[in-house]
Amino acid sequence: MSTEPRINDRIRVPEVRLVGPKGEQVGIVRVEDALRLAAENDLDLVEVAPMARPPVAKLMDYGKFKYEAAQKVRDARKNQSNTVTKEMKLRLKIDAHDYETKKGHVVRFLKAGDKVKITIMFRGREQSRPELGMQLLQRLAEDVAEFGFVEAAPKQDGRNMLMVLGPTKKKTEAKVDQQSDRERRMAERAQKQQEEKAAEAELRAQHTTVAAKKKRGPADNMDPDIDL
């Protein structure tokens, strides 16, 4: 069954509630008169509310309308980003440096709008101390609370303990923030380069002045009216 609206002579009703091309309300008119107005203005008569009584029809350029609608759909698909689930594995006896490194990766993933599945792998007798794994996961969740939240609470899964962190910002918002950060860094870099060029130009000017003074001969300071 077609979802396309009826247009022009496919509209089989005696009268319509007509809307002008700029959204102005024309009123209830015979469909023949509406078709005549459409032809006079080189537009189409498009039925936009077929279930109304009488149906609502609008004067528009239907080809242009369809093109713009399709363009909006393409743009929406282009801007749509699916959330990706990253994974980070930890050991129960992780040292401070390794913990900070992996926490940094988790923060980077969350800032990019991705979920992160944290896995603690237990070895040997460590399996009898699940509370230590719980403490480590809770510590990590608190450390990255600015960027993510606990979406799936820690749970034991065989020799592993799992927790899922969700980003506080959506993927699209994260992309906007990343673009803003890139633009800010580029602006700062350009400003720094301009300042460096200005400093170099000033330094060259100072060297030129000093060099010019050094080139003066002994007669440069003598009175030109004195006969030698």
Side-chain angles (χ1 to χ4, degrees):
M1 187 174 180
S2 176
T3 59
E4 294 281 335
R6 293 187 295 184
I7 66 172
N8 298 329
D9 56 1
R10 291 173 53 198
I11 302 175
R12 306 284 185 173
V13 292
E15 58 185 16
V16 294
R17 185 178 298 278
L18 187 62
V19 179
K22 295 182 180 180
E24 65 273 20
Q25 297 293 327
V26 178
I28 298 175
V29 301
R30 294 189 309 159
V31 70
E32 293 85 356
D33 295 334
L35 287 169
R36 178 177 51 79
L37 287 172
E40 290 175 354
N41 292 276
D42 197 22
L43 296 172
D44 299 299
L45 181 66
V46 182
E47 192 178 48
V48 295
M51 302 307 294
R53 291 294 178 265
V56 179
K58 184 176 182 180
L59 297 174
M60 68 172 73
D61 184 338
Y62 187 59
K64 181 179 179 182
F65 170 77
K66 285 186 65 176
Y67 173 79
E68 291 176 349
Q71 187 66 39
K72 288 179 181 178
V73 171
R74 285 193 294 269
D75 291 342
R77 287 176 179 171
K78 187 185 299 182
N79 294 330
Q80 184 180 11
S81 299
N82 296 323
T83 301
V84 177
T85 301
K86 304 289 187 177
E87 185 172 7
M88 184 61 59
K89 295 183 179 181
L90 307 178
R91 292 293 185 184
L92 192 61
K93 296 180 180 179
I94 187 170
D95 62 64
H97 180 268
D98 195 21
Y99 173 82
E100 291 298 325
T101 299
K102 295 199 171 185
K103 183 183 74 174
H105 292 318
V106 172
V107 169
R108 179 164 54 84
F109 294 148
L110 292 172
K111 288 176 70 175
D114 295 321
K115 296 182 181 181
V116 187
K117 182 175 76 172
I118 311 297
T119 303
I120 293 182
M121 300 173 291
F122 293 96
R123 290 178 174 177
R125 295 182 181 180
E126 292 177 351
Q127 297 181 62
S128 62
R129 302 296 304 276
E131 69 278 5
L132 297 180
M134 187 75 68
Q135 292 173 7
L136 179 57
L137 291 177
Q138 289 175 346
R139 173 190 171 190
L140 179 61
E142 292 173 359
D143 287 347
V144 301
E146 180 182 354
F147 310 101
F149 62 94
V150 178
E151 185 173 287
K155 67 177 182 179
Q156 191 80 27
D157 182 19
R159 297 173 57 183
N160 299 329
M161 182 173 285
L162 309 176
M163 177 181 71
V164 177
L165 297 173
T168 54
K169 292 185 179 180
K170 294 181 180 179
K171 190 83 169 178
T172 51
E173 294 175 345
K175 283 193 171 184
V176 170
D177 289 345
Q178 289 177 336
Q179 179 65 25
S180 298
D181 288 342
R182 282 195 294 268
E183 292 175 354
R184 177 182 54 80
R185 289 195 298 269
M186 290 175 63
E188 291 176 351
R189 191 178 301 117
Q191 179 66 26
K192 185 177 180 180
Q193 290 175 349
Q194 290 179 354
E195 292 175 353
E196 290 175 350
K197 287 181 179 179
E200 290 176 0
E202 183 179 355
L203 189 59
R204 284 197 299 268
Q206 292 176 354
H207 285 318
T208 302
T209 302
V210 171
K213 289 180 178 180
K214 288 182 177 179
K215 288 181 179 179
R216 282 183 178 177
D220 290 341
N221 296 322
M222 294 179 62
D223 189 338
D225 295 330
I226 298 177
D227 294 330
L228 297 178

